[in-house]
Amino acid sequence: MAPASKSRDTYYLTTAIAYPNGVPHIGHAYEAIATDALARFQRLDGKDVFFLTGTDEHGLKMVQTAQKEGLTPAELATRNAGRFRQMDDLLNVSYDRFIRTSEEQHHRSSQEIWQRMVKNGDIYLDSYAGWYSVRDEAYYAEDETTVGEDKVRRGPQGTPVEWVEEQSYFFKLSAYQDRLLQLYADQPDFIGPDSRKNEVVSFVRGGLKDLSVSRTTFDWGIKVPDADGHVMYVWVDALTNYITGVGFPNESDPNWRYWPADLHVIGKDIIRFHAVYWPAFLMSAGIPVQKRVFAHGFLFNRGEKMSKSLGNVVDPFNLAEQYGVDQLRYFLLREVQFGQDGSYNHEAIVNRINADLANDLGNLAQRSLSMIAKQCESIVPEPGEFSDNDKAILSQADGMLALARSAMETQQIHQALNAVWAVVAEANRYFAGEAPWALAKTDPARQRTVLYVTAEVIRQIAILAQPAIPASAAKLLDILAIPADQRDFAALATRIRPGTQMPAPAPVFPRYVEPAAT
Ligand code: ME8
């Protein structure tokens, strides 16, 4: 009898949804690329993956920006959401759904979670008086704000705050302190990296105030059910996108099987919303909480914060055009420790492109595969017995998956890449040491073995490089004539087949050359 087919493990991951009050910047590109690398890794590792990204379209920030530009908030959202989607497509971000919070399904979803919170007795009407940052779309306690020399009061992220007094619905966040602390204790992996976890735990230990969750001074948002004049506080609907994305409020939607999310990838500035408010809303609504939140760091241009006034806001479309999509992806993923802040500049990008991609991997592939083309008629050679050196490099290559897997489990993307590029470096030493070019006359059988081993190691490197540099890795695998269905991690357990006809090798990783001064 055939074994019952086992359904694959699901893996649901998300990016933050960006405010489309402006066009995407490098921070958005970074988050999309990193989450994409994580999504691709899990897919290649055999998981049934769902990857959600999108735009967060409500709130006062959208209203104010639209006013300035002479547009309606809906027009502004539509214009810029298109740009975010184009960026994702350009950067080869393999999302399964691009959600916009202005979608009708999302309105129903947010109203349903609201009603469940009401039913649970967690929503009450009162009036709010306090500080609000439009830029952060966040309420701050007075002691979280400071008044600068310019007499402007600012919140903890450095954005100006304004005094707000209005009637508002409140969510009983204060009632969730113990349950949240219990959650962090029961699920030690709930928040990563650890430094962020400590920050959240001490925030929650410090006591939680109830949260104002509706606004009455504008109407660009999701209507509070049965409460004329109230729209939901933008973060209530924003966070709810993660369940809308997999079918909520229709729990018989086939995609609902993906909930709870395995991973929310976000930036460090919005950890409180994801690790405190969101699980509390879910608990209140009787919906399972997500499994993990990982906060990445911020990217700085030459160490400086990006800002429109400094004129250093870098357009990801320009970067991709200047350096290449995979080149940009590789740089960001390898150079910046995921979870830490990072800095980028032209020299560092060029150095990574030319050293790691063009020289180390590109030259190795080009030299060895063109030798196979010339001296073995483009046929993967038949190896003889493996020497100790052959066995050593093959076993190092065989060890990559376990290292990459354990790094990726905790979102240490840079470490996974370090493990792969350690093998690239070793393969270069192997190739130089075995000097196959000199063996053509003296020992052609040995030459074939060395070329076979090198091709096999390049195959493994290319398979494991796919999450970071999908298009270039695919080109390498094409050159090695690896069939499309043998490019996942399960295929790492096999070996490249001798006798396979390969297409002519073509360089995959061009060097970056400075444009000539005009
Ligand atoms: O926060 N470097 O939207 P957003 C790295 N709509 N990451 C950065 C960054 C930088 N310089 N600047 C921003 C929002 N980010 C909300 C999210 S989720 C339910 C709602 C990251 O457009 C930021 O940390 O301001 C966030 O994760 C994402 O980009 C979107 O930021």
Side-chain angles (χ1 to χ4, degrees):
M1 209 174 79
S5 76
K6 187 181 169 298
S7 64
R8 290 178 301 149
D9 286 346
T10 57
Y11 193 90
Y12 176 29
L13 79 176
T14 65
T15 63
I17 47 171
Y19 293 121
N21 66 317
V23 292
H25 57 61
I26 182 78
H28 295 121
Y30 176 57
E31 185 170 295
I33 288 170
T35 313
D36 182 60
L38 294 164
R40 288 177 184 271
F41 191 94
Q42 296 300 335
R43 269 191 217 111
L44 289 164
D45 212 10
K47 299 265 176 61
D48 170 11
V49 170
F50 195 86
F51 173 14
L52 180 76
T53 191
T55 41
D56 179 4
E57 308 194 348
H58 297 124
L60 199 48
K61 180 149 78 173
M62 287 298 289
V63 172
Q64 291 183 352
T65 313
Q67 256 162 14
K68 269 187 225 137
E69 299 200 18
L71 297 170
T72 64
E75 285 166 346
L76 177 69
T78 297
R79 187 187 74 193
N80 286 331
R83 200 66 182 146
F84 275 91
R85 202 175 170 137
Q86 275 173 7
M87 178 191 77
D88 289 339
D89 292 339
L90 172 72
L91 297 176
N92 227 340
V93 174
S94 59
Y95 57 85
D96 293 289
R97 177 168 173 185
F98 188 101
I99 191 170
R100 297 184 52 189
T101 54
S102 52
E103 289 170 28
E104 193 267 339
Q105 183 211 340
H106 182 65
H107 279 248
R108 282 190 286 117
S109 173
S110 303
Q111 288 171 338
E112 175 64 23
I113 195 173
W114 181 283
Q115 265 154 342
R116 291 192 191 188
M117 297 192 291
V118 170
K119 247 189 227 145
N120 204 43
D122 287 328
I123 304 271
Y124 63 93
L125 189 64
D126 201 341
S127 54
Y128 178 81
W131 298 103
Y132 191 78
S133 159
V134 178
R135 291 252 291 276
D136 300 347
E137 295 282 17
Y139 298 94
Y140 292 118
E142 176 123 348
D143 62 7
E144 289 180 294
T145 67
T146 43
V147 180
E149 276 173 21
D150 53 4
K151 303 247 162 47
V152 176
R153 187 180 286 272
R154 291 190 160 79
Q157 318 267 2
T159 58
V161 292
E162 59 188 43
W163 185 253
V164 171
E165 267 188 58
E166 62 189 303
Q167 195 193 46
S168 160
Y169 283 96
F170 281 79
F171 173 76
K172 277 190 196 160
L173 187 62
S174 58
Y176 285 85
Q177 181 178 10
D178 292 344
R179 266 176 284 180
L180 287 168
L181 290 172
Q182 195 60 47
L183 169 70
Y184 310 143
D186 292 347
Q187 291 186 38
D189 298 332
F190 188 70
I191 303 166
D194 283 344
S195 54
R196 296 292 155 216
K197 177 176 164 176
N198 300 338
E199 175 188 317
V200 169
V201 171
S202 68
F203 172 73
V204 175
R205 277 215 186 103
L208 294 172
K209 290 202 180 69
D210 290 350
L211 182 69
S212 165
V213 285
S214 75
R215 302 294 308 259
T216 49
T217 46
F218 59 92
D219 63 359
W220 175 242
I222 295 182
K223 288 193 166 43
V224 173
D226 311 314
D228 269 358
H230 286 261
V231 293
M232 292 180 200
Y233 168 43
V234 61
W235 271 100
V236 175
D237 104 66
L239 291 161
T240 302
N241 96 87
Y242 300 131
I243 53 176
T244 311
V246 286
F248 197 80
N250 176 9
E251 292 175 66
S252 51
D253 187 304
N255 283 343
W256 189 242
R257 72 180 191 282
Y258 291 108
W259 191 261
D262 292 84
L263 179 67
H264 293 316
V265 177
I266 54 160
K268 63 179 186 179
D269 56 327
I270 54 174
I271 187 82
R272 197 184 283 184
F273 300 94
H274 285 80
V276 182
Y277 302 170
W278 181 225
F281 295 163
L282 289 166
M283 286 174 188
S284 171
I287 300 169
V289 302
Q290 79 269 25
K291 294 183 194 155
R292 181 169 165 88
V293 177
F294 187 89
H296 59 75
F298 263 47
L299 280 187
F300 297 103
N301 186 343
R302 293 193 185 276
E304 275 180 347
K305 198 165 175 168
M306 283 179 295
S307 80
K308 283 195 184 136
S309 53
L310 284 173
N312 63 355
V313 179
V314 174
D315 176 5
F317 291 86
N318 289 344
L319 285 178
E321 188 180 312
Q322 185 178 0
Y323 301 112
V325 169
D326 277 352
Q327 283 73 6
L328 176 64
R329 290 176 60 113
Y330 178 79
F331 169 79
L332 291 173
L333 297 176
R334 178 89 197 276
E335 184 87 2
V336 184
Q337 287 194 34
F338 202 53
Q340 308 287 315
D341 289 342
S343 186
Y344 61 96
N345 59 66
H346 175 70
E347 295 74 17
I349 300 177
V350 170
N351 187 43
R352 281 285 177 199
I353 295 175
N354 288 346
D356 295 16
L357 295 179
N359 282 353
D360 293 352
L361 181 52
N363 280 350
L364 174 71
Q366 187 59 18
R367 289 173 71 201
S368 57
L369 302 181
S370 56
M371 210 175 284
I372 294 179
K374 281 198 201 99
Q375 307 200 348
C376 313
E377 293 162 341
S378 292
I379 291 173
V380 177
E382 184 78 48
E385 204 167 310
F386 291 137
S387 71
D388 286 349
N389 284 352
D390 302 339
K391 288 182 194 154
I393 185 71
L394 286 170
S395 109
Q396 201 183 339
D398 290 340
M400 271 185 299
L401 177 60
L403 293 174
R405 236 187 222 145
S406 88
M408 292 300 254
E409 245 162 49
T410 51
Q411 293 74 45
Q412 298 301 287
I413 305 172
H414 58 287
Q415 268 180 17
L417 287 175
N418 286 347
V420 176
W421 257 261
V423 174
V424 173
E426 200 50 44
N428 271 300
R429 278 192 285 274
Y430 166 84
F431 194 75
E434 299 298 324
W437 53 91
L439 293 168
K441 294 217 173 78
T442 56
D443 192 348
R446 178 68 198 146
Q447 184 197 41
R448 285 196 292 277
T449 304
V450 171
L451 291 175
Y452 175 85
V453 168
T454 309
E456 166 60 7
V457 173
I458 293 172
R459 179 188 73 99
Q460 299 218 11
I461 289 166
I463 287 178
L464 278 156
Q466 291 175 100
I469 49 171
S472 312
K475 276 193 206 155
L476 268 182
L477 292 166
D478 289 345
I479 294 171
L480 290 164
I482 306 300
D485 63 356
Q486 283 167 43
R487 296 181 176 196
D488 60 6
F489 296 162
L492 291 169
T494 63
R495 292 277 186 237
I496 192 166
R497 283 240 302 278
T500 312
Q501 179 75 48
M502 293 172 18
V508 175
F509 299 104
R511 286 186 72 76
Y512 182 88
V513 182
E514 296 295 343
T518 46

